[in-house]
């Protein structure tokens, strides 16, 4: 019998949600350990000494870090429906889009909401160009992978439960419904997907969290913008 | 016969790109023949822009004309599309695979990304942060290596393959960041030499001096003034 699975995660972290979503879809029971990111625990720092970040998957005596690494681990180490496609080329395409999310879209998308003035405009332009590529990918499909939520969908989760929350907290809209109808429809589909219900964050909780930490997130955003 | 061995592989390449280097080493490791196509990145051609419309970057692997972009994605693809081509780049055990992927990601997100900020940014808080993160990442790599011959353990593996092209960049980064490699990561030099004993790596390594020249060129052309 497989040793127990725990996730060191945090409310508010899209990366943490990715891991929970992967475990949910794979049908792997787990215990969630909520981390207070303002006061990082010994448990987190011991198991992720290099990056000191959530999420961390604990499986027996193994600690796996980095959300994309964890998702592939979950897919490979446990029985259950596959998260990534089976065909090598389709897998390469899926991994490409995951890389796109983290290395091309995430920064402008996030900073377009959390910064202001000319800086905000620059990030919004970049975000919208990148989002347009996703809009094309989604056209005619319910999810990026087809009829069911898969790897690419959970990788893009910051465009689902988080999107309307940060729009509300920051007062900024970048993903306009009229320009990105497929993306906004996908957002609704993701947020109401039955198999993800056990791990979807509560909207009110997320709003409260980001409202409480608004100044901190604005500060992080401005620092990130200068890099 | 060339036709029998031909796997229909082409690599859109650029000599100094450590990402393209990874792919060249991987193809050599697996004994997979390919057509190298050096790109002019200052004047990107149709082939590159069609193959990688999102980023316009190398490396791109073309397999029967179908593009695969991003070096680590390419490495995974080589294992999965050519399972008969030994050795496997990634180990078979999921935990070992996760370990390999984690350290490959450190090379991308910490070493290369911080290195880029080091030559690009003017002196100031942001640049100081980049320097700090770079030193931290190199210390972490050194600590992970420890007394092992390779990052993966007793044998050369995916993590070593992913990180080794950056070895030629370390001296340049150390110069820019004004830190000592001997002090920060004393074991990495020996590790790089050990990796360089493999033919696949030896044939695809660059001299640090050439990479330093290239970094100086990048700083001059694209650095913040």
């Amino acid at each position: 019998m497989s040793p127990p699975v725990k996730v060191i995660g945090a409310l508010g972290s899209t990366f943490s949600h990715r891991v929970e979503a992967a475990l949910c879809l794979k049908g792997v029971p787990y215990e969630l350990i909520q981390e207070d990111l303002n006061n990082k625990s010994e448990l987190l720092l011991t198991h992720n000494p290099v990056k000191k970040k959530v999420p961390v998957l604990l499986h027996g005596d193994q600690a796996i870090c980095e959300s994309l690494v964890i998702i592939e681990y979950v897919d490979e180490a446990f029985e259950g429906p596959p998260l990534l496609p089976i065909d090598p080329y389709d897998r390469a395409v899926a991994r490409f889009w995951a890389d796109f999310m983290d290395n091309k879209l995430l920064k402008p998308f996030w900073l377009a909401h959390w910064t202001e003035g000319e800086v905000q405009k620059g990030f919004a332009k970049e975000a919208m160009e990148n989002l347009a590529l996703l809009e094309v990918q989604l056209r005619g499909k319910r999810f990026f992978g087809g009829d069911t939520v898969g790897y690419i969908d959970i990788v893009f989760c910051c465009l689902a439960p988080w999107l309307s929350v940060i729009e509300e907290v920051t007062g900024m809209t970048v993903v306009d419904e009229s320009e990105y109808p497929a993306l906004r429809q996908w957002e609704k589909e993701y947020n109401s997907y039955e198999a993800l219900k056990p791990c979807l964050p509560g909207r009110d909780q997320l709003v409260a969290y980001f409202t409480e930490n608004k100044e901190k997130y604005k500060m992080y955003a401005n620092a990130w913008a200068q890099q | 016969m060339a036709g029998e061995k031909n796997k229909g592989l082409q690599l859109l390449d650029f000599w100094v790109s450590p990402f393209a280097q990874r792919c060249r080493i991987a193809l050599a490791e697996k004994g997979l023949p390919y057509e190298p196509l050096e790109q002019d990145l200052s004047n990107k051609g149709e082939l590159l822009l069609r193959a990688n419309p999102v980023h316009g970057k190398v490396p791109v692997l073309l397999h029967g004309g179908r593009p695969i972009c991003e070096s680590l994605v390419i490495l995974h693809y080589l294992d999965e599309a050519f399972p008969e081509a030994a050795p496997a780049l990634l180990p078979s055990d999921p935990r070992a695979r996760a370990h390999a992927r984690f350290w490959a990601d450190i090379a991308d997100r910490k070493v290369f990304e911080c290195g880029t900020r080091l030559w690009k940014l003017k002196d100031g808080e942001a640049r100081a942060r980049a320097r700090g993160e770079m030193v931290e990442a190199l210390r972490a790599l050194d600590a992970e290596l420890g007394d092992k011959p390779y990052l993966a353990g007793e044998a050369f593996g995916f993590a070593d393959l992913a990180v080794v092209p950056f070895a030629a960049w370390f001296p340049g980064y150390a110069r820019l960041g004004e830190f000592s490699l001997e002090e920060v990561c004393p074991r990495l030099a020996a590790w790089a030499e050990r990796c360089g004993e493999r033919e696949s790596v030896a044939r695809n390594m660059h001299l640090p001096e050439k990479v330093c020249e290239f970094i100086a060129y990048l700083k001059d052309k694209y650095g913040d003034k």
Side-chain angles (χ1 to χ4, degrees):
Chain A
M1 195 169 141
S2 190
V5 175
K6 299 181 189 181
V7 176
I8 310 175
L11 175 73
S13 165
T14 59
F15 303 104
S16 180
H17 169 72
R18 282 175 177 175
V19 169
E20 289 196 71
L23 290 163
C24 244
L25 294 175
K26 201 75 179 173
V28 178
Y30 64 95
E31 179 196 335
L32 177 67
I33 302 168
Q34 283 280 15
E35 188 69 23
D36 174 3
L37 296 179
N38 293 319
N39 185 18
K40 291 180 180 179
S41 68
E42 261 315 299
L43 186 72
L44 175 63
L45 298 175
T46 313
H47 289 293
N48 193 356
V50 177
K51 295 240 188 137
K52 306 179 180 58
K53 287 181 176 177
V54 294
V56 180
L57 184 86
L58 301 173
H59 185 205
D61 61 356
Q62 293 297 311
I64 319 282
C65 307
E66 288 305 307
S67 62
L68 297 184
V69 176
I70 296 170
I71 298 172
E72 294 230 32
Y73 176 80
V74 168
D75 211 18
E76 290 165 355
F78 299 97
E79 297 292 319
L83 299 173
L84 272 93
I86 307 297
D87 173 74
Y89 189 76
D90 293 340
R91 290 164 76 82
V93 170
R95 289 177 177 132
F96 172 83
W97 286 110
D99 176 88
F100 173 84
M101 175 71 237
D102 283 2
N103 295 316
K104 194 113 161 90
L105 175 60
L106 182 63
K107 182 175 175 177
F109 168 79
W110 194 253
L111 298 187
H113 289 89
W114 290 98
T115 56
E116 285 157 9
E118 286 308 307
V119 170
Q120 187 277 336
K121 287 200 180 90
F123 285 120
K125 180 172 184 288
E126 197 184 335
M128 287 169 70
E129 283 165 3
N130 288 319
L131 288 163
L133 298 173
L134 294 187
E135 181 73 13
V136 167
Q137 288 296 313
L138 261 179
R139 220 151 270 162
K141 295 197 285 200
R142 191 177 164 212
F143 297 106
F144 286 100
D147 292 323
T148 55
V149 166
Y151 175 75
I152 304 180
D153 302 282
I154 62 181
V155 168
F156 283 131
C157 65
C158 75
L159 300 176
W162 274 257
L163 179 53
S164 72
V165 169
I166 61 172
E167 283 175 336
E168 182 178 323
V169 173
T170 64
M172 202 67 85
T173 303
V174 177
V175 191
D176 193 277
E177 180 123 29
S178 60
E179 286 185 59
Y180 306 98
L183 267 173
R184 293 318 299 238
Q185 180 55 35
W186 170 85
E187 178 197 1
K188 295 190 180 84
E189 297 273 10
Y190 188 98
N191 288 341
S192 56
Y193 196 71
E194 201 58 44
L196 288 175
K197 285 218 151 76
C199 67
L200 278 170
R203 195 176 184 283
D204 292 342
Q205 261 189 309
L206 273 184
V207 170
Y209 170 77
F210 280 106
T211 304
E212 192 183 317
N213 291 284
K214 187 174 174 177
E215 289 316 305
K216 197 164 62 105
Y217 275 91
K218 281 171 80 167
M219 196 181 68
Y220 289 156
N222 288 323
W224 196 9
Q226 283 167 48
Q227 282 181 7
Chain B
M1 290 279 301
E4 280 164 18
K5 283 181 113 181
N6 183 15
K7 306 281 186 188
L9 290 170
Q10 297 167 301
L11 183 71
L12 304 190
D13 203 348
F14 182 64
W15 72 276
V16 78
S17 161
F19 305 101
Q21 233 176 316
R22 281 171 172 168
C23 301
R24 279 185 255 130
I25 296 170
L27 287 157
E29 280 282 310
K30 292 180 91 70
L32 290 167
Y34 67 99
E35 186 190 355
L37 296 169
E38 182 81 4
Q39 302 296 300
D40 178 358
L41 297 184
S42 61
N43 185 21
K44 292 177 182 179
E46 258 313 296
L47 178 61
L48 176 58
L49 296 173
R50 261 188 301 114
N52 193 352
V54 174
H55 302 295
K57 286 181 177 177
V58 296
V60 181
L61 182 79
L62 293 167
H63 184 198
R66 286 203 301 184
I68 299 108
C69 306
E70 293 305 313
S71 61
L72 298 180
V73 177
I74 292 170
L75 262 44
H76 279 81
Y77 180 78
L78 289 176
D79 259 1
E80 291 168 2
F82 300 97
E84 75 289 356
L89 301 171
L90 275 157
S92 53
D93 172 60
R95 291 170 300 176
R97 289 165 79 83
H99 176 271
R101 286 169 175 145
F102 177 83
W103 288 101
D105 181 70
I106 291 283
D108 285 3
R109 306 279 213 96
K110 287 288 175 186
V111 176
F112 188 75
E113 207 259 310
C114 291
T116 301
R117 279 148 61 196
L118 264 181
W119 62 253
K120 199 161 203 294
L121 297 171
K122 276 196 310 211
D123 270 324
E125 215 180 286
R127 191 174 185 274
R129 256 200 310 271
R131 182 203 178 276
E133 286 175 42
M134 165 70 80
V135 167
E136 220 177 88
L138 289 174
R139 283 199 207 280
L141 268 170
D142 192 80
E144 178 57 29
L145 181 65
D147 296 321
K148 304 195 303 273
Y150 299 99
L151 285 167
E154 292 303 312
F156 180 85
F158 183 87
D160 303 282
L161 197 162
V163 179
V164 81
F166 296 96
W169 294 69
F170 294 161
Y173 292 151
R175 192 176 302 172
L176 281 170
E178 291 172 339
F179 59 85
S180 149
L181 291 174
E182 249 312 296
E183 193 264 311
V184 166
C185 49
R187 292 171 277 210
L188 287 187
W191 161 81
E193 236 182 85
R194 209 173 291 130
C195 294
E197 286 161 13
R198 293 179 87 75
E199 202 189 326
S200 62
V201 177
R203 281 198 282 134
N204 291 294
M205 284 303 272
H206 294 303
L207 292 171
E209 296 76 50
K210 293 238 83 153
V211 174
C212 279
E213 268 171 37
F214 187 75
I215 296 174
Y217 158 78
L218 286 173
K219 185 175 162 67
D220 190 54
K221 190 153 189 223
Y222 302 109
D224 292 345
K225 302 281 178 276

